[in-house]
Amino acid sequence: MKILGIGNAIVDVICKVEDKYLSDNGLTKSTMKLVDEIEFKKLLSTLKIEDTISGGSVANSIVGLSQLGNKVGFIGKISDDSLGQKYKDGLKKENVDYLYSKKKESLPTGTCLILITPDSERTMCTFLGIAGKINKDDVNIHSVKNSEITFLEGYLWDEGEPKSAFDIAIENSNKVAMSLSDLFCVERHKPHFLELIKNKLDIIFANEQEITSLIDAKNFEEVITFAKQLGKITIITRGEKGSIAINKNEVIECESEKDLKIIDLTGAGDLFAAGFLHGYINNLGTKESLKKGTEMSSRVIQKIGARLD
């Protein structure tokens, strides 16, 4: 297997809202907020659903990699309920090897409310459900060992059971890539993420805001200096400024695509990671890998949701 993703198995529920909806419900635009089941249902009861998709950050990347013709798998925890079955069917349809056997759990399958405002930004409210209870026993070690790269997401990292899943996956991986996922995650787990980046990871994905916060940088030059000293492959997306790959003293930049009709930014980072990893595992070179990431993210932001048709 080329790449095995391990992440939160979340069913995305996509809805369009006005900015006022966010302020009325105390939500901060472009961030992810964890909510309990009661708050989730309360929010959902006032909305019109546009679509539901088998989501989660790394799962979106893995589907993108599959659509590019790579042999990939995914591990994420679901419950034996209707959403869990929908999740499993959604990945199977995309030719992803889903390496988790669902069973009746104490919590339901996780769900994420993706609220899209008229400026195409997405604000997320996530009820993790059973997804947040993944543990080391849920990780298929044989599959980890037989994958070229294990791809993890910052959303998944948490003390206790999820950390044990992270640890056993990293211990048995050939190479480890991870996305910092969200500013919320970085600020919540800053010392842990720094330790992972410095000592455990081979490839790091972040946007400019996330990595700037992670190291408390005053400017982007400090970010570049930090990434050079890491000696790892660090991929940073910068929106309209494009993207940059840093590996020791090698710094390669790639421009963003222009004149795009942006509809929804959901999945932009996930599909960028898919494109870059596709290039990396197929020996395309860093510049070409950045271009593939840019192409994939540019395509997905011109449609609703985090899936390319």
Side-chain angles (χ1 to χ4, degrees), residues 55-259:
S57 178
V58 160
N60 292 336
S61 301
I62 291 297
V63 168
L65 279 156
S66 177
Q67 290 174 335
L68 287 168
N70 300 288
K71 185 170 173 53
V72 292
F74 180 74
I75 296 172
K77 193 160 187 158
I78 56 174
S79 186
D80 188 7
D81 53 23
S82 59
L83 280 178
Q85 188 60 45
K86 183 179 181 64
Y87 192 89
K88 184 177 180 181
D89 291 345
L91 289 188
K92 185 179 179 183
K93 181 183 169 188
E94 297 288 356
N95 296 315
V96 173
D97 191 1
Y98 186 48
L99 298 157
Y100 180 78
S101 299
K102 62 183 170 58
K103 46 193 174 291
K104 204 69 183 173
E105 302 282 359
S106 56
L107 290 168
T109 297
T111 325
C112 178
L113 202 54
I114 298 179
L115 307 172
I116 304 169
T117 38
D119 58 1
S120 304
E121 290 289 340
R122 84 278 188 272
T123 303
M124 297 180 287
C125 297
T126 302
F127 167 54
L128 283 174
I130 200 63
K133 299 297 182 184
I134 192 169
N135 61 62
K136 65 181 187 332
D137 296 329
D138 298 318
V139 176
N140 186 317
I141 294 173
H142 176 77
S143 297
V144 172
K145 288 180 175 178
N146 285 292
S147 300
E148 291 181 31
I149 297 174
T150 304
F151 187 30
L152 304 166
E153 63 183 68
Y155 283 132
L156 188 72
W157 204 101
D158 217 338
E159 290 286 3
E161 292 176 311
K163 183 181 181 298
S164 73
F166 247 73
D167 289 344
I168 200 164
I170 288 172
E171 283 167 19
N172 290 281
S173 294
N174 293 303
K175 282 189 177 178
V176 185
M178 179 177 135
S179 161
L180 297 190
S181 294
D182 189 274
L183 186 61
F184 160 85
C185 291
V186 171
E187 293 180 347
R188 189 177 180 204
H189 304 303
K190 195 172 285 191
H192 302 291
F193 278 15
L194 269 170
E195 194 272 334
L196 280 169
I197 282 174
K198 289 176 179 177
N199 302 310
K200 303 287 180 70
L201 306 180
D202 299 292
I203 304 172
I204 301 114
F205 290 95
N207 65 30
E208 185 172 352
Q209 189 182 28
E210 291 158 2
I211 198 156
T212 299
S213 171
L214 180 72
I215 64 170
D216 298 315
K218 298 180 183 65
N219 52 56
F220 197 64
E221 285 304 312
E222 289 187 12
V223 170
I224 291 175
T225 300
F226 171 79
K228 282 181 176 179
Q229 291 168 348
L230 271 182
K232 315 287 180 74
I233 300 171
T234 306
I235 313 299
I236 304 164
T237 54
R238 308 185 71 197
E240 291 179 354
K241 297 175 188 173
S243 59
I244 187 166
I246 304 157
N247 186 7
K248 297 176 182 171
N249 286 321
E250 182 184 53
V251 180
I252 296 175
E253 296 186 58
C254 181
E255 291 184 356
S256 61
E257 292 189 10
K258 310 301 180 192
D259 303 319

Side-chain angles (χ1 to χ4, degrees), residues 11-15 40 44 49 51-53 111-115:
V11 176
D12 289 338
V13 178
I14 300 169
C15 307
F40 183 87
L44 188 59
I49 297 173
D51 202 1
T52 57
I53 302 165
T111 325
C112 178
L113 202 54
I114 298 179
L115 307 172

